[in-house]
Amino acid sequence: MSVKIKHYPGEEVETKDFREGKVLFESFRPKAKYAWSAGIAISRFLEELKNGRIIATTCSKCGRIMVPPRIYCEKCFKPTDGWTYVKDTGVINTFSVSFIAADASRLKEPIVVAIINLDGASEGMGIVHRIEEYGDWREIKIGMRVKAVWKPPEERTGAITDIKYFKLVKE
Amino acid sequence: MFGKKRVAIVGAGVTLFRRNLKETGKELSFHAAKMALEQAGMELRDIQSVVMGTAPDAFDGVHMKGEYLADGAGAYHKPYTRVFVGGGTGVFAPLAGWWHVASGKFDTCLVVCEEKMSSCYPHPQYAFTTIFDPILERPIGMNLIWIFALEMNRYMHKHNIKKEDIALVSVKNKRNALDNPIAQLAANITVEDVLNSEIMAWPVQRLDVSPTSDGAAAAVLVSEDIAKEVTDNPVWIDGVGWCIDSTYWTDRDLYYPDYVEYAARMAYKMAGIKNPPKEIDVAEPYDPFDYKELHHMEGLLLCKKGEAPKLTREGVTQRDGDLPTCPSGGLLGCGNPIAAAGMMKVCEIFWQLRGEAGKRQVPGDPRTGVAQAWGDLMQYGSVIVLRR
Ligand SMILES: [Zn+2]
């Protein structure tokens, strides 16, 4: 974008030009599948979710109670040295009300997602999860208190979705 | 001086930015690289090394796309490196070019950045779902726009910022883009247009967001001796900085980008800048969303925390203000072909400092400019300080 440049290359096409055969193209759908090991720390975390509890790791050097748990403290760069339960209640650190799905298509009903700072964890530490039972989304505020709503024990699989969502709770 | 050689930019090039371009990524890379060489008055045989910046392979659906793009970037039979730090890539690539030359290993380096997002269907946004943690985050149904919305909401909450003030950034940048011949979404819009646009993920609305795009941008970096041979007006890379924050993004306070501040401090220290708002004449902070320009102005220490909306409201960041910000039109106005968008900002500062920006030229004979990009999981900052 200099006055010395008179022409900028690029031929614009519209998506419909592909559909209408005005542009030649080739398409491909990848078929790769993945199975991830949950790892040392998160496997324990998921096991505890099955029991209806949220577990954190602790670092004796910086004193942090960390959730999600990890086997090393990334700040002190040493192994964490303890496990401790935190509560399934907490505070909304920030939230969003999404009217679009992951592929950018429109949703009929919005999804509310939040970062939840869990009670018992170090200040500002938490997890991302959904919020439901909120009434009017315009009434949701940062700082509101929430509590986990769990799947019944027999339906839990050791997944983050063993917590169905968090709901707003009165102070 | 840092390194063995002082490094200058002596030529830059850029293609159109559009939602969908007919050219392949290789072809776009060729056009931008060729233009940068022509502007520098140089030939490919003068180039000793090549750096390519390009973002996730998932957009193109071509794994190891650094290799795929190499010929288009002029890398045939040359030392070649592809760098990738998410959205931060577009400013990180010239930083990598800088160390190629500053180390004394090469006298010249061609830096090319490319992105072709239109290949991914139904929408390139979906390719971003695989950046999230597979165990804890993807089962929640994570969506790229959410992380911006979460960050924007936290920023607004912490400083009590109104959406009206944030919308002013979108209005300014889309208007600045009217004077940019490559721009995809140049427009005269109002704050009301932004506030009335479709809600994507509250508080993010359609006109708060830059589009997905195809495009390429490039620059020629040379050592001081070569710079003196090929041009009377080199632009010097006087400061470089980069930094990453923790991937545990649910454990950080998203209201402020510390990592951008650390990158900026690194670059300013190298450039001898003690008072950024006074010493920087023109800035191109990364603006994929309107609030991000404000967030990044603060991270770049161009104002105090929470003060960027006020400066914007007062017109300080307009092209004729005291601190012109995104005079190019930014990503909001020009489009956002990820790596090429960051590199376009570096090219814009280059042209602004050379007085070649035409209708976009900021007044006052600018001498020092800063460009910045941001990426990964809200955790990466790359900063470059240019001087004439
Ligand atoms: Zn520690």
Side-chain angles (χ1 to χ4, degrees):
Chain A
M1 306 98 72
S2 161
V3 289
K4 294 186 174 172
I5 300 169
K6 298 300 169 211
H7 171 72
Y8 294 88
E11 285 185 39
E12 187 170 14
V13 290
E14 292 183 25
T15 306
K16 68 174 171 56
D17 295 335
F18 288 85
R19 279 198 300 269
E20 292 168 6
K22 293 180 185 161
V23 180
L24 296 177
F25 65 97
E26 191 61 67
S27 65
F28 172 77
R29 182 186 290 266
K31 292 198 181 83
K33 289 188 177 175
Y34 297 86
W36 295 280
S37 160
I40 307 299
I42 298 301
S43 292
R44 172 87 191 266
F45 177 76
L46 298 177
E47 279 297 326
E48 291 291 351
L49 290 181
K50 247 187 193 174
N51 300 328
R53 291 187 297 206
I54 300 174
I55 200 161
T57 46
T58 55
C59 173
S60 58
K61 190 166 178 207
C62 65
R64 287 193 304 162
I65 299 170
M66 292 174 278
V67 63
R70 59 213 71 172
I71 61 162
Y72 56 86
C73 172
E74 73 279 8
K75 291 192 178 175
C76 305
F77 214 61
K78 64 179 271 303
T80 49
D81 33 26
W83 294 88
T84 188
Y85 294 109
V86 297
K87 294 192 173 152
D88 71 349
T89 54
V91 166
I92 296 178
N93 170 286
T94 184
F95 70 94
S96 172
V97 185
S98 183
F99 292 82
I100 50 170
D103 65 358
S105 60
R106 294 297 292 180
L107 294 168
K108 282 205 181 76
E109 289 299 319
I111 294 169
V112 179
V113 62
I115 297 176
I116 295 145
N117 293 154
L118 293 169
D119 294 333
S122 285
E123 192 184 346
M125 300 194 92
I127 58 172
V128 61
H129 219 297
R130 294 196 185 195
I131 304 286
E132 291 183 24
E133 297 184 39
Y134 49 76
D136 181 354
W137 68 264
R138 291 171 191 80
E139 301 299 316
I140 305 170
K141 300 277 184 290
I142 288 172
M144 281 182 163
R145 293 201 54 80
V146 291
K147 180 170 175 48
V149 175
W150 297 83
K151 282 183 181 167
E154 63 279 10
E155 288 177 23
R156 294 181 202 149
T157 58
I160 190 67
T161 47
D162 286 351
I163 297 174
K164 284 159 69 180
Y165 53 83
F166 283 77
K167 65 173 184 182
L168 299 183
V169 290
K170 294 271 181 298
E171 291 281 347
Chain B
M1 189 185 76
F2 279 70
K4 287 192 168 168
K5 300 270 176 98
R6 202 177 180 203
V7 184
I9 301 181
V10 295
V14 62
T15 66
L16 296 180
F17 286 4
R18 291 292 182 272
R19 174 68 182 89
N20 208 329
L21 287 171
K22 190 172 182 181
E23 288 83 354
T24 63
K26 297 184 206 196
E27 291 170 338
L28 293 171
S29 298
F30 168 76
H31 284 312
K34 191 70 180 164
M35 188 189 290
L37 285 167
E38 281 170 9
Q39 291 295 309
M42 294 169 73
E43 308 258 1
L44 187 61
R45 66 168 177 270
D46 302 319
I47 295 298
Q48 296 171 0
S49 61
V50 177
V51 169
M52 163 58 73
T54 188
D57 291 351
F59 288 142
D60 297 57
V62 178
H63 198 48
M64 306 202 298
K65 72 170 164 164
E67 287 73 1
Y68 174 69
L69 296 166
D71 289 344
Y76 171 68
H77 275 187
K78 292 188 195 298
Y80 175 68
T81 310
R82 179 229 183 147
V83 294
F84 171 41
V85 288
T89 303
V91 172
F92 186 73
L95 302 188
W98 172 82
W99 78 59
H100 274 63
V101 178
S103 64
K105 180 67 183 169
F106 304 104
D107 281 317
T108 56
C109 183
L110 175 60
V111 179
V112 186
C113 289
E114 171 274 357
E115 217 67 67
K116 189 159 175 79
M117 302 173 77
S118 62
S119 311
C120 184
Y121 278 74
H123 193 282
Q125 191 181 305
Y126 198 64
F128 278 114
T129 56
T130 55
I131 70 174
F132 294 101
D133 184 283
I135 313 288
L136 297 183
E137 292 165 5
R138 284 195 226 177
I140 307 295
M142 290 304 296
N143 171 335
L144 181 75
I145 302 291
W146 292 3
I147 65 173
F148 290 95
L150 293 167
E151 191 179 68
M152 179 173 173
N153 204 2
R154 185 73 190 163
Y155 175 61
M156 289 168 61
H157 171 80
K158 194 83 175 183
H159 298 302
N160 197 20
I161 295 166
K162 292 192 178 68
K163 283 209 61 180
E164 288 85 321
D165 284 340
I166 291 174
L168 283 168
V169 174
S170 197
V171 172
K172 168 177 72 72
N173 291 3
K174 285 179 189 295
R175 189 170 56 225
N176 283 350
L178 288 167
D179 296 323
N180 193 327
I182 68 153
Q184 178 180 343
L185 279 186
N188 256 318
I189 60 165
T190 64
V191 166
E192 286 66 38
D193 291 334
V194 180
L195 299 181
N196 293 332
S197 64
E198 179 183 53
I199 299 174
M200 297 175 76
W202 182 262
V204 171
Q205 291 174 259
R206 178 70 61 190
L207 290 177
D208 292 313
V209 188
S210 62
T212 61
S213 315
D214 293 351
V220 178
L221 275 54
V222 304
S223 63
E224 186 161 15
D225 345 327
I226 305 285
K228 284 179 176 159
E229 283 174 27
V230 301
T231 183
D232 293 331
N233 48 355
V235 169
W236 303 101
I237 299 178
D238 272 359
V240 296
W242 61 100
C243 183
I244 196 164
D245 205 326
S246 165
T247 307
Y248 291 107
W249 60 276
T250 60
D251 289 346
R252 298 192 253 122
D253 198 328
L254 300 174
Y255 90 98
Y256 183 72
D258 304 83
Y259 48 93
V260 172
E261 180 184 325
Y262 300 147
R265 285 189 185 281
M266 177 177 164
Y268 295 156
K269 187 178 177 197
M270 177 175 155
I273 290 174
K274 300 205 166 56
N275 185 343
K278 283 266 176 307
E279 294 177 61
I280 287 166
D281 303 318
V282 54
E284 281 278 344
Y286 200 60
D287 64 322
F289 288 60
D290 43 13
Y291 82 95
K292 290 302 289 181
E293 172 168 315
L294 306 170
H295 210 225
H296 292 149
M297 283 171 63
E298 295 171 16
L300 286 167
L301 307 172
L302 297 174
C303 59
K304 295 197 183 83
K305 289 181 188 178
E307 205 182 65
K310 180 168 164 277
L311 296 189
T312 305
R313 201 167 54 233
E314 291 169 351
V316 174
T317 58
Q318 295 285 343
R319 226 183 253 150
D320 58 357
D322 281 346
L323 184 62
T325 302
C326 291
S328 68
L331 280 47
L332 290 161
C334 297
N336 185 10
I338 315 280
M343 188 68 194
M344 180 276 290
K345 288 179 168 288
V346 178
C347 297
E348 173 72 1
I349 298 292
F350 169 74
W351 286 315
Q352 288 285 350
L353 298 183
R354 300 240 291 196
E356 290 180 22
K359 283 191 191 165
R360 298 185 324 285
Q361 186 64 48
V362 305
D365 199 21
R367 301 193 68 83
T368 306
V370 65
Q372 173 255 339
W374 163 95
D376 294 346
L377 265 172
M378 304 179 282
Q379 70 191 131
Y380 198 90
S382 43
V383 177
I384 193 166
V385 175
L386 301 181
R387 269 212 195 95
R388 123 174 108 77

